[in-house]
């Protein structure tokens, strides 16, 4: 995205601190059918319900990165209500270039935070949500290092979700910070997850930047299958 496009997606007259959120969504061929359909419905719900909350709609800025065949920006950074008005089209295709998606997310997040700093806009910790149902087919190791370190240092909220029995949790444990580590989605409970995400971002947006670490996140049992996978530690 060029600088002009970046700046026109940032409302400098909005006094609210911003909460940058990147959704990294696996749309490889194995997601076709029911998984992709449920993902689309969950995403649509998230966009609508987050936009409907006055405080969250002023703070949450969203980017959607998809990876299936190749990694691309399906929706560039913009206020969540703007993305809601023009939601990304998701189609399942190809393999799982997770390393490429991680490099893109890292670059995009750094650029967005640099723009906030240039414009004097305060911001919450970024949220990175990674959702995948398989195994990366490219080199992800170097790409994962930067974002994993930020997660380990608690400079961002980094959540990885494995979908289905073929999700590669061994690899996800190497990509994600130790806590919370990868969490398995319960069935196809995308709607329940995105409801939790909306509620979490509403709570963060209602807090001050200084108090964001004190925000207690909701129970994950509606969407997380915690058997055999590291659990999200509630309230952290």
């Amino acid at each position: 995205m060029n600088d002009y496009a970046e700046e026109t997606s940032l409302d400098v007259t909005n006094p609210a601190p911003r909460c940058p959120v990147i959704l990294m969504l696996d749309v490889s061929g194995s997601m076709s059918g029911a998984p992709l359909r449920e993902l689309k419905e969950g995403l649509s719900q998230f966009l609508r319900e987050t936009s409907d909350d006055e405080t969250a709609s002023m703070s949450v800025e969203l980017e959607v990165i998809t990876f299936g065949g190749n990694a691309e920006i399906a929706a560039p950074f913009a206020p969540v209500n703007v993305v809601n008005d023009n939601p990304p089209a998701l189609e399942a295709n190809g393999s799982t270039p997770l390393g490429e998606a991680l490099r893109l997310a890292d670059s995009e997040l750094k650029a967005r935070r640099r723009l906030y700093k240039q414009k004097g806009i305060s911001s919450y910790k970024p949220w990175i949500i990674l959702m995948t149902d398989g195994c990366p087919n490219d080199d992800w190791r170097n790409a994962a290092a930067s974002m994993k370190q930020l997660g380990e240092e608690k400079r961002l909220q980094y959540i990885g979700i494995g979908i289905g029995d073929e999700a590669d949790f061994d690899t996800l444990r190497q990509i994600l910070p130790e806590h919370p580590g990868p969490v398995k989605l319960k069935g196809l409970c995308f709607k329940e997850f995105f409801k939790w995400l909306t509620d979490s971002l509403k709570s963060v947006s209602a807090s001050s930047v200084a108090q964001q670490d004190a925000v207690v996140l909701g129970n994950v049992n509606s969407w997380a299958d915690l058997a055999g996978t590291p659990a999200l530690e509630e309230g952290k």
Side-chain angles (χ1 to χ4, degrees), residues 1 22-27 39 43 47 62-68 70-78 82-84 86-91 101 104 108:
M1 182 187 295
I22 296 181
L23 299 179
M24 300 178 60
L25 306 179
D26 186 342
V27 293
L39 172 58
L43 177 58
L47 294 174
L62 179 69
E63 176 158 297
V64 179
I65 292 175
T66 56
F67 52 103
N70 53 42
E72 59 185 21
I73 299 171
F77 264 121
V82 173
V83 182
N84 183 49
N86 187 26
L90 305 181
E91 296 183 4
L104 183 56
E108 287 289 300

Side-chain angles (χ1 to χ4, degrees), residues 26-216:
D26 186 342
V27 293
S28 58
S30 56
M31 284 288 291
S32 62
L36 186 66
R37 183 173 63 251
E38 293 296 322
L39 172 58
K40 286 180 176 180
E41 292 181 4
L43 177 58
S44 178
Q45 168 193 295
F46 167 72
L47 294 174
R48 182 178 63 255
E49 293 183 352
T50 310
S51 298
D52 285 346
D53 184 84
E54 182 177 1
T55 303
S57 67
M58 293 181 67
S59 289
V60 175
E61 297 195 333
L62 179 69
E63 176 158 297
V64 179
I65 292 175
T66 56
F67 52 103
N70 53 42
E72 59 185 21
I73 299 171
F77 264 121
V80 66
N81 60 304
V82 173
V83 182
N84 183 49
D85 290 340
N86 187 26
L90 305 181
E91 296 183 4
N93 181 56
S95 54
T96 312
L98 180 51
E100 184 183 352
L102 287 165
R103 282 187 288 274
L104 183 56
D106 184 57
S107 173
E108 287 289 300
L109 181 59
K110 287 176 179 175
R112 196 64 177 179
R113 300 189 81 185
R114 186 164 57 246
L115 188 60
Y116 291 155
K117 185 174 182 180
Q118 290 171 352
K119 300 299 181 181
I121 294 173
S122 62
S123 63
Y124 299 98
K125 288 180 183 179
W127 283 61
I128 307 294
I129 309 297
L130 168 61
M131 307 186 85
T132 181
D133 76 335
C135 178
N137 71 306
D138 63 353
D139 182 8
W140 52 266
R141 289 169 179 79
N142 290 337
S146 175
M147 201 167 292
K148 180 176 181 176
Q149 182 176 354
L150 290 174
E152 297 283 7
E153 295 171 354
K154 301 187 183 304
R155 293 167 61 189
L156 55 76
Q157 186 74 262
Y158 191 7
I159 299 172
I161 298 172
I163 304 162
D165 294 334
E166 300 303 317
D168 185 352
F169 282 91
D170 288 339
T171 297
L172 285 174
R173 275 187 278 272
Q174 297 175 66
I175 289 172
L176 297 160
E178 182 177 355
H179 178 79
V183 179
K184 185 176 182 180
L185 188 69
K186 185 184 294 183
L188 295 178
C189 291
F190 289 100
K191 296 185 187 71
E192 290 81 359
F193 166 73
F194 279 112
K195 171 64 174 171
W196 176 87
L197 182 59
T198 293
D199 290 344
S200 298
L201 293 172
K202 285 164 65 175
S203 296
V204 169
S205 300
S207 73
S208 68
V209 172
Q211 294 297 316
Q212 63 182 306
D213 288 337
V215 172
V216 177

